Amino acid sequence: MSMNGARYNQGQIILHWLIAAMIFFMLGLGLWMVGLPRESELPPGQESVRAFWFLLHKSIGITIAAFIILRVVWRLSYTAPPLPESIPGWQQRLSGRVHFLLYALMIAMPITGYLQSMYSKYDTKLWGVPLPRLAEADAVARETFTDIHQALAFLFIATLVLHVGAAIKHRLKGTEVTSRMSLWK
Ligand code: HEM
Ligand code: HEM
């Protein structure tokens, strides 16, 4: 097996795992929080915790966006370390496409989340600080972006099944591809 020992640089590796952990948390939080009862669905006098978790989801989402921008700008400034020649061409092309899709989804999730929040009647807050309102509330636009945000979330999960499945396959086959992105060698 031909190995060239090339690895992603340490900064990219730290950002990969930091963002991955945050995105897994956000996918779980998002799917869970939309099932929480609204104030109107609870017995009178009982407060809903829905708003708390929605605000947390928005604050973390906007925070991840900053890390994602940093990662994308950094990634555009260099080329990925070459894969070992033992990896067949079609797998190299497929992995390139899946990585591109993952980057596109990392960018699209915070944007559609923000847009849906912007068109809702509630203020968008970042860690408690209300952000300027850039548009009037618009129920149709809010619903549209909510649907897109949800559809992209499911596409994200499907893409991650492929991505993580490939990583596990490489680990089991001992191709050492996974050590290109591991925090320690
Ligand atoms: C939300 C979670 C994740 C996202 C968004 C994500 C995204 C990405 C992206 C975009 C790349 C390409 C890096 C580049 O060329 O700049 C990559 C590479 C990689 N990821 Fe992930 N990843 C996630 C989770 C994981 C997990 C859980 C594993 C392992 C089980 C993993 C293992 C890898 C490996 C080994 C590479 C390097 C592939 C190569 O050498 O070509 N990732 N990831
Ligand atoms: C990487 C970032 C993000 C991920 C992975 C993510 C993921 C999710 C998921 C999985 C859902 C549940 C979808 C459903 O079943 O309806 C959701 C809902 C939601 N997200 Fe995000 N999100 C992200 C960023 C954001 C941002 C930045 C905002 C706003 C500033 C936001 C606002 C919302 C809101 C308000 C909902 C609830 C929609 C509803 O009322 O049904 N998200 N998100």
Side-chain angles (χ1 to χ4, degrees):
M1 184 195 322
S2 90
M3 277 303 301
N4 54 19
R7 279 165 54 84
Y8 284 90
N9 68 52
Q10 202 60 30
Q12 288 285 333
I13 294 174
I14 290 169
L15 279 175
H16 173 269
W17 291 109
L18 179 71
I19 293 169
M22 291 174 97
I23 287 178
F24 281 126
F25 178 76
M26 286 291 282
L27 289 170
L29 174 61
L31 292 175
W32 171 76
M33 71 181 194
V34 293
L36 290 170
R38 291 183 172 78
E39 197 101 350
S40 58
E41 293 159 359
L42 289 168
Q46 207 172 317
E47 256 184 60
S48 170
V49 292
R50 195 176 156 97
F52 170 83
W53 294 107
F54 269 55
L55 285 170
L56 182 68
H57 182 89
K58 294 180 189 183
S59 293
I60 299 178
I62 296 169
T63 306
I64 311 183
F67 288 119
I68 291 169
I69 292 169
L70 173 66
R71 181 165 177 204
V72 169
V73 170
W74 193 349
R75 176 65 172 82
L76 290 173
S77 68
Y78 78 98
T79 40
L83 279 161
E85 279 155 26
S86 57
I87 308 291
W90 70 269
Q91 283 186 20
Q92 303 210 12
R93 283 189 294 280
L94 182 62
S95 92
R97 279 178 201 146
V98 173
H99 292 164
F100 183 83
L101 184 57
L102 286 170
Y103 276 121
L105 288 165
M106 280 191 270
I107 295 167
M109 285 309 291
I111 293 176
T112 52
Y114 178 80
L115 285 173
Q116 111 188 240
S117 184
M118 181 179 89
Y119 284 118
S120 85
K121 55 187 195 292
Y122 304 103
D123 277 339
T124 307
K125 291 186 195 156
L126 177 59
W127 303 114
V129 181
L131 298 179
R133 179 168 272 286
L134 300 178
E136 294 293 312
D138 178 334
V140 176
R142 188 197 68 86
E143 195 129 333
T144 307
F145 286 111
T146 300
D147 289 348
I148 299 174
H149 193 63
Q150 183 186 41
L152 290 180
F154 291 131
L155 179 60
F156 211 151
I157 293 168
T159 313
L160 282 172
V161 169
L162 278 179
H163 182 63
V164 177
I168 293 171
K169 190 210 85 172
H170 280 289
R171 196 89 214 196
L172 294 178
K173 280 184 73 186
T175 57
E176 291 181 47
V177 161
T178 49
S179 65
R180 292 154 54 81
M181 196 52 106
S182 59
L183 283 165
W184 42 86
K185 273 190 209 173

